[in-house]
């Protein structure tokens, strides 16, 4: 990719300018049809996902269930190693119906903080989860802080159970849904708890944004649907027939995702849990 050779600030200008125009196009373009969100010829097209195989000893996994699911279904290498950045970019886009801007930005960002070349090098999922370097951060909703559990590739089920139990929404069919308010409340609780119990606690603005971006994905890509998230978050596998809930023609843009991020962050009141 030619963009990988640009200075970081030029990469960002190109990516976010393109994202702006994709967002405008999505406003007028027809939506993708339910059942045809995943591109034809891509893994998962028509809801037919490659076989799920849990990771075995020695396999690498990240703190991100969405990335781990790609490896567990063999869309990325099942051992989570020697992943080309271009493949990471492409499969995140096609599987979750992101606009090309988000996965490209993320893959370039990962290559940069690992001091690797996007075009020629590879990475593994554990590298992506280096503590406070990239996507991994304290006060996760799905993992214990690295202070207490260095293996960030393993979900922490008590947190996930508490998160899903907090769901207060329902769809037209009565299915339970997580809402923006639910995720803001639970994020505030986790930040307060982690700050109080972890002597090495750090959560800068960048990682607050990462945390809220992840929450936004639960609401947009997965529609906040508790029944689906049970499998996605606990087993890191796709439910049979699943596809992204994002129907935008060009996929989920930064601009669209950040609207949800803003709402989430605005609703996080850590002080409500400081003395709980």
């Amino acid at each position: 990719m030619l963009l990988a050779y640009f200075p970081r600030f030029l990469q960002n200008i190109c990516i976010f300018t393109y994202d702006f125009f994709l967002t405008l196009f999505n406003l007028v373009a027809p939506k993708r049809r339910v059942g045809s969100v995943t591109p034809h010829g891509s893994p998962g097209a028509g809801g037919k996902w490659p076989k799920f195989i849990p990771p075995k000893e020695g396999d690498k996994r990240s703190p991100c269930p969405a990335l781990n699911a790609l490896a567990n279904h063999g869309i990325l290498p099942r051992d989570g190693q020697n992943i080309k950045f271009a493949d990471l970019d492409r499969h995140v886009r096609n599987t979750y119906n992101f606009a090309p801007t988000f996965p490209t930005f993320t893959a370039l960002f990962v290559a940069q903080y690992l001091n690797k070349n996007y075009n020629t090098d590879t990475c593994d999922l554990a590298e992506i989860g280096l503590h406070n370097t990239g996507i991994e951060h304290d006060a996760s909703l799905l993992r214990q802080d690295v202070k207490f559990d260095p293996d960030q590739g393993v979900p922490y089920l008590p947190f996930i159970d508490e998160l899903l139990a907090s769901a207060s929404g329902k769809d037209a069919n009565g299915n339970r849904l997580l809402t923006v308010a639910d995720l803001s409340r639970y994020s505030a609780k986790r930040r307060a708890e982690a700050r109080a119990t972890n002597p090495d606690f750090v959560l800068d603005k960048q990682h607050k944004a990462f945390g809220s971006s992840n929450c936004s994905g639960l609401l947009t890509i997965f529609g906040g649907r508790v029944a689906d998230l049970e499998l996605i978050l606990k087993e890191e596998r796709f439910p049979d027939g699943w596809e992204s809930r994002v129907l935008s023609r060009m996929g989920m843009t930064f601009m669209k995702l950040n609207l949800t991020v803003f709402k989430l962050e605005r609703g996080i009141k850590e002080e409500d849990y400081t003395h709980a």
Side-chain angles (χ1 to χ4, degrees):
M1 175 192 287
L2 182 61
L3 189 61
Y5 296 106
F6 289 12
R8 186 65 183 173
F9 78 95
L10 282 180
Q11 291 177 2
N12 290 346
I13 290 172
C14 293
I15 287 170
F16 288 109
T17 300
Y18 185 32
D19 191 81
F20 173 75
F21 286 106
L22 291 176
T23 302
L24 293 181
F25 182 78
N26 277 340
L27 293 175
V28 298
K31 303 288 187 184
R32 299 191 186 194
R33 290 186 298 106
V34 173
S36 301
V37 174
T38 308
H40 179 73
S42 296
K48 297 178 181 178
W49 295 100
K51 183 179 179 181
F52 169 80
I53 300 177
K56 63 181 186 301
E57 185 176 356
D59 289 347
K60 305 295 185 182
R61 292 296 184 265
S62 78
C64 176
L67 294 180
N68 294 346
L70 295 179
N72 291 341
H73 283 275
I75 299 168
L76 292 176
R78 289 192 182 273
D79 64 3
Q81 302 181 61
N82 299 312
I83 301 168
K84 295 179 180 179
F85 291 102
D87 289 343
L88 183 68
D89 185 336
R90 174 168 54 90
H91 288 307
V92 167
R93 176 186 178 184
N94 289 341
T95 299
Y96 300 111
N97 193 23
F98 275 109
T101 46
F102 182 90
T104 296
F105 175 91
T106 303
L108 287 168
F109 175 77
V110 170
Q112 182 185 46
Y113 78 69
L114 293 179
N115 197 27
K116 293 189 175 187
N117 185 298
Y118 175 101
N119 291 313
T120 60
D121 292 333
T122 64
C123 66
D124 68 47
L125 290 179
E127 287 181 303
I128 292 174
L130 293 176
H131 180 54
N132 274 344
T133 303
I135 64 172
E136 193 280 332
H137 55 84
D138 288 333
S140 166
L141 307 192
L142 310 177
R143 264 75 170 160
Q144 290 183 294
D145 290 355
V146 72
K147 171 76 174 178
F148 308 114
D149 182 10
D151 187 359
Q152 290 293 296
V154 179
Y156 187 62
L157 299 186
F159 286 168
I160 296 172
D161 285 335
E162 187 175 2
L163 169 64
L164 297 180
S166 74
S168 64
K170 288 187 178 181
D171 65 15
N173 297 316
N175 297 307
R176 295 176 59 233
L177 303 175
L178 284 169
T179 68
V180 170
D182 297 332
L183 285 164
S184 290
R185 283 192 296 269
Y186 194 60
S187 295
K189 182 174 185 290
R190 282 289 303 121
R191 291 180 187 183
E193 289 174 345
R195 193 181 300 277
T197 59
N198 181 359
D200 299 333
F201 178 81
V202 176
L203 191 66
D204 58 24
K205 288 183 179 180
Q206 173 180 291
H207 288 99
K208 284 182 178 180
F210 270 124
S212 288
S213 293
N214 294 336
C215 290
S216 296
L218 300 183
L219 296 172
T220 54
I221 305 299
F222 298 104
R225 300 186 183 199
V226 171
D228 289 348
L229 290 172
E230 285 272 0
L231 280 180
I232 292 288
L233 300 183
K234 292 183 176 182
E235 299 184 31
E236 301 182 331
R237 66 184 296 180
F238 298 122
D240 293 340
W242 182 85
E243 66 179 5
S244 173
R245 305 300 176 186
V246 174
L247 302 181
S248 301
R249 175 61 54 178
M250 298 306 297
M252 173 67 66
T253 63
F254 263 114
M255 193 172 261
K256 182 70 172 179
L257 185 70
N258 284 341
L259 289 175
T260 307
V261 171
F262 176 76
K263 292 176 184 177
L264 278 162
E265 275 296 321
R266 186 176 59 183
I268 294 174
K269 310 295 183 185
E270 189 179 326
E271 62 272 16
D272 291 349
Y273 298 89
T274 300
H275 304 294

